Amino acid sequence: PTLARRARPLSAAAVRDAGCERRLLRGVLAEALEKQRRKRFALTEQSGALERSQLPSEAKARAKAVARAEALPLLLRECDAAEAALSDLHARLYERRPDLPALRRAMEELGLEQRLELYDVDRAAMDQWGRPAGFDGLVVDSPRGVPILIGRQSFADPLLRRVARGADLWFQVRASRGSRVLLRTSMRRDLTRSHRECMEAAADLAAYFSPLRRHGEVEVMYTDSRHVAKRGGRVGQLKDGKKIGLLTAHPERAALLAREAQDEQGWPV
């Protein structure tokens, strides 16, 4: 019997090219999905407004309003179908060995060919709301839309220390080294404090970007900017004696969000 031939490992250049292509496809898909979601929301709002309003008395305007009301269900079905197709492609992108050429062809068939040509991967990688100038770490959104900054693992984080404000919270694993994570609640003027779900998301990310990533539960300490090292070679570090609380984090809950952010922003996975 013939033995199955083992796949040859990709060269470093091929890996870089595949990574860039994957970032491109993911960015265009995320953009298209968000566009469809906004479109569906607008159509739903229009449908509700039409149901609540009275038909115009003038014949021409009345006919136009009736035609619009009749067309809305079809437009919503088309929007849902497009969103489902895009979501399927997005899921395929995260398979173990995604067929990137096939995914690109499928996206082109959905009308995304021009966007694939024009999308700027490098610009998108550094274009998140809440990213301070000069910050080269990851930026993700919490469940309530609060920017979460994840610094590269280092002894000091002077830039994060400079941008942190009173309502912001810092997170770091308690029993090991890891990335410092800053929950920038101060960016949301409508929030006077950090909500629990946002704090848990930040703690999960702190645990994920640490040597304890594969642990089921990880203790993460958090504090405010008043209790973070302000000067010296360890500026921005958290100390156990200065924490204002502990959270039990679950790194696996942050895995998908972290991988997507790494893909989009060009961090090594």
Side-chain angles (χ1 to χ4, degrees):
T2 58
L3 295 175
R5 182 178 296 177
R6 294 183 63 183
R8 295 178 61 184
L10 294 173
S11 67
V15 170
R16 283 196 302 272
D17 290 344
C20 187
E21 177 73 356
R22 183 167 169 169
R23 287 168 59 198
L24 169 64
L25 299 185
R26 185 194 177 278
V28 174
L29 279 171
E31 186 181 79
L33 273 166
E34 181 60 27
K35 184 178 179 180
Q36 287 298 325
R37 287 165 184 155
R38 289 199 303 266
K39 182 179 178 181
R40 176 161 46 80
F41 178 78
L43 289 170
T44 304
E45 289 287 294
Q46 289 180 36
S47 179
L50 284 172
E51 289 177 0
R52 292 189 298 270
S53 63
Q54 293 183 345
L55 289 173
S57 56
E58 196 270 322
K60 188 174 181 179
R62 185 185 184 89
K64 190 174 181 179
V66 169
R68 181 64 178 168
E70 291 174 348
L72 276 173
L74 175 60
L75 292 172
L76 279 166
R77 286 196 296 273
E78 290 175 350
C79 189
D80 288 342
E83 189 175 333
L86 291 167
S87 296
D88 177 65
L89 293 177
H90 188 267
R92 286 167 55 190
L93 189 59
Y94 285 92
E95 292 174 352
R96 184 172 179 81
R97 290 191 176 180
D99 187 341
L100 298 180
L103 283 168
R104 176 182 269 267
R105 289 193 298 272
M107 291 171 65
E108 290 172 349
E109 290 171 2
L110 290 175
L112 296 173
E113 183 174 6
Q114 184 178 23
R115 196 65 191 121
L116 286 165
E117 293 297 325
L118 298 177
Y119 188 82
D120 189 334
V121 174
D122 293 327
R123 181 177 178 181
M126 305 296 283
D127 196 27
Q128 297 79 30
W129 180 66
R131 177 184 291 278
F135 180 64
D136 65 350
L138 289 179
V139 181
V140 301
D141 284 341
S142 79
R144 288 180 177 261
V146 176
I148 301 175
L149 274 54
I150 304 155
R152 296 182 183 272
Q153 292 191 28
S154 63
F155 285 105
D157 280 314
L159 191 149
L160 287 185
R161 182 69 188 82
R162 286 199 303 272
V163 302
R165 297 294 180 264
D168 299 341
L169 290 177
W170 295 70
F171 297 79
Q172 184 179 311
V173 291
R174 187 183 192 186
S176 179
R177 291 184 57 195
S179 292
R180 253 86 65 190
V181 173
L182 180 65
L183 179 64
R184 296 194 75 187
T185 306
S186 61
M187 295 288 293
R188 287 283 305 273
R189 299 298 175 87
D190 58 320
L191 297 179
T192 57
R193 60 181 179 82
S194 299
H195 285 262
R196 179 78 180 189
E197 56 188 331
C198 301
M199 293 171 62
E200 289 177 348
D204 290 344
L205 286 162
Y208 184 85
F209 288 101
S210 80
L212 307 179
R213 173 182 298 187
R214 302 195 184 281
H215 290 217
E217 295 183 348
V218 179
E219 271 196 332
V220 172
M221 53 186 176
Y222 65 92
T223 191
D224 58 25
S225 296
R226 294 173 300 172
H227 298 96
V228 173
K230 298 176 177 61
R231 58 183 64 87
R234 296 180 182 271
V235 60
Q237 283 205 6
L238 283 69
K239 296 181 179 179
D240 192 85
K242 297 288 188 177
K243 68 180 183 296
I244 59 175
L246 285 171
L247 288 174
T248 300
H250 302 268
E252 77 282 356
R253 293 192 306 208
L256 178 59
L257 179 63
R259 286 198 299 269
E260 287 185 348
Q262 288 176 288
D263 240 5
E264 179 184 331
Q265 298 171 40
W267 258 34
V269 179

